[in-house]
Amino acid sequence: MARLSNVRVKLCDQILLHKLHVLNNAVSQKGVTEREMEEAFKQSIGYRPSRLSWTQWNDGTLSILYSVIFVIALFVLTPFLASFIEVILGTRCIVPNNYLVWEATRPLSDCDFCRGVQGPIILSNLSREEFKPYAYSSRPIIIKNAISHWPAARLLNFTFLKDLYYKHPSALNSFHEDCQFLHFKSNFQTLKDVFRMSEDFRSGHKPWYVGWSNCNPVILAELRKLYPKPHFLPEDAEMPNTDFVFLGYEQGAVMHIDYIPRLMWQAQLRGNKSWILAPTPECDVRMSQF
């Protein structure tokens, strides 16, 4: 009986399917589309699509949703993107400068430049014309008694520098941005730390040595009132837009290479300083330090 029932069901399905095909062909011949037949069938059975059906999403709602999400994300991310771009544009170097970077990227030295140099040239105070034969030579030069007339020889000391920077406190903050502070082997991390040291410490409690570039325009202008460009230097000798100050007690810098593209000079205002000059590593076979 079960098998007979299945045969009857299949037969009825075939008859129904045949009638539907006949009906479909008849309706199609009258110009009715499949879409219209589908809608008519849905109406006949009372079909009502849900508001959030996938068909409706595909018909345009998804595009609107994506647009809204994009606008919201744009408003949220724009401040972060602006800050990131500002940081990138405000960063001079992605890799900060240091001696390792300088040494790894510097061009090889021309060893002929310092060939035969075994010591400095020592001269007494002289005029520009007298100094002319020695200018721009490869030998270090010591000029004695050339700055005794400078106001800096009388006025420029630790207390003067401390009072000057405290008078313009914003200049101390410039060391986080443009100016360079060199603590060498001391424990001072900022120029503020240097100026906070006690009198006992400064006068010999412990060796210390620091240096910094006074690139703040106000500080630079005040200090340059105390020292002019040395009178014996050539007229075309450039003055950099920053000057360095070095001071300390019983300590100095480590052996290093100065990357200075112009004529360099230093004035010893107080105390004494010992220099050890050595060739660059690629030239140390041809010459020795002194």
Side-chain angles (χ1 to χ4, degrees), residues 10-277:
K10 290 182 179 180
L11 181 60
C12 290
D13 289 343
Q14 291 177 358
I15 295 173
L16 179 60
L17 183 61
H18 175 70
K19 289 183 177 181
L20 287 175
H21 276 297
V22 173
L23 179 62
N24 181 69
N25 292 334
V27 173
S28 298
Q29 290 175 359
K30 293 183 179 181
V32 180
T33 64
E34 291 185 1
R35 179 70 175 177
E36 291 173 337
M37 286 189 286
E38 181 182 352
E39 292 297 329
F41 173 74
K42 290 180 179 179
Q43 291 179 6
S44 66
I45 62 175
Y47 174 77
R48 292 183 179 181
S50 62
R51 293 183 178 180
L52 298 178
S53 67
W54 181 250
T55 303
Q56 287 182 318
W57 283 109
N58 285 338
D59 286 340
T61 310
L62 279 178
S63 299
I64 298 175
L65 179 63
Y66 290 151
S67 300
V68 171
I69 293 175
F70 175 77
V71 172
I72 294 175
L74 191 63
F75 275 104
V76 172
L77 296 178
T78 294
F80 297 100
L81 291 175
S83 300
F84 176 75
I85 294 174
E86 184 178 357
V87 170
I88 293 298
L89 294 178
T91 302
R92 294 182 177 180
C93 301
I94 297 177
V95 179
N97 268 340
N98 54 58
Y99 287 122
L100 180 61
V101 174
W102 290 341
E103 180 61 19
T105 57
R106 71 173 177 85
L108 293 177
S109 301
D110 181 4
C111 299
D112 290 334
F113 182 74
C114 54
R115 187 185 301 277
V117 176
Q118 298 179 349
I121 300 173
I122 302 177
L123 303 170
S124 294
N125 189 16
L126 71 176
S127 66
R128 178 175 293 163
E129 191 65 26
E130 293 171 327
F131 182 74
K132 189 175 181 179
Y134 306 99
Y136 304 112
S137 70
S138 60
R139 294 184 61 181
I141 303 172
I142 299 174
I143 310 294
K144 294 185 175 182
N145 304 317
I147 62 170
S148 57
H149 61 287
W150 285 4
R154 296 179 289 103
L155 302 176
L156 191 55
N157 53 32
F158 181 89
T159 303
F160 181 93
L161 291 168
K162 179 179 178 179
D163 293 342
L164 178 61
Y165 273 92
Y166 279 4
K167 184 179 178 181
H168 305 281
S170 61
L172 291 170
N173 298 327
S174 61
F175 288 91
H176 300 291
E177 302 168 359
D178 302 313
C179 301
Q180 186 179 14
F181 178 77
L182 305 171
H183 61 83
F184 297 110
K185 293 182 287 186
S186 70
N187 293 324
F188 301 117
Q189 298 302 314
T190 66
L191 188 56
K192 290 181 181 179
D193 296 336
V194 175
F195 289 146
R196 290 193 190 109
M197 81 170 83
S198 64
E199 177 67 28
D200 292 338
F201 188 96
R202 191 170 77 246
S203 60
H205 176 73
K206 188 177 181 180
W208 61 277
Y209 183 74
V210 296
W212 68 89
S213 60
N214 51 337
C215 62
N216 182 275
V218 177
I219 300 295
L220 185 62
E222 289 294 324
L223 289 179
R224 285 189 173 178
K225 293 177 182 178
L226 305 181
Y227 56 86
K229 184 174 76 172
H231 60 276
F232 52 82
L233 292 181
E235 291 185 9
D236 60 354
E238 296 178 340
M239 283 285 282
N241 56 5
T242 60
D243 292 340
F244 275 83
V245 176
F246 296 95
L247 69 161
Y249 172 78
E250 293 295 330
Q251 196 179 75
V254 296
M255 181 63 74
H256 63 280
I257 298 177
D258 283 323
Y259 299 85
I260 301 174
R262 58 171 62 87
L263 182 67
M264 186 195 78
W265 58 270
Q266 283 196 19
Q268 186 74 22
L269 296 176
R270 281 177 171 75
N272 57 76
K273 182 175 182 179
S274 299
W275 291 72
I276 299 176
L277 303 182

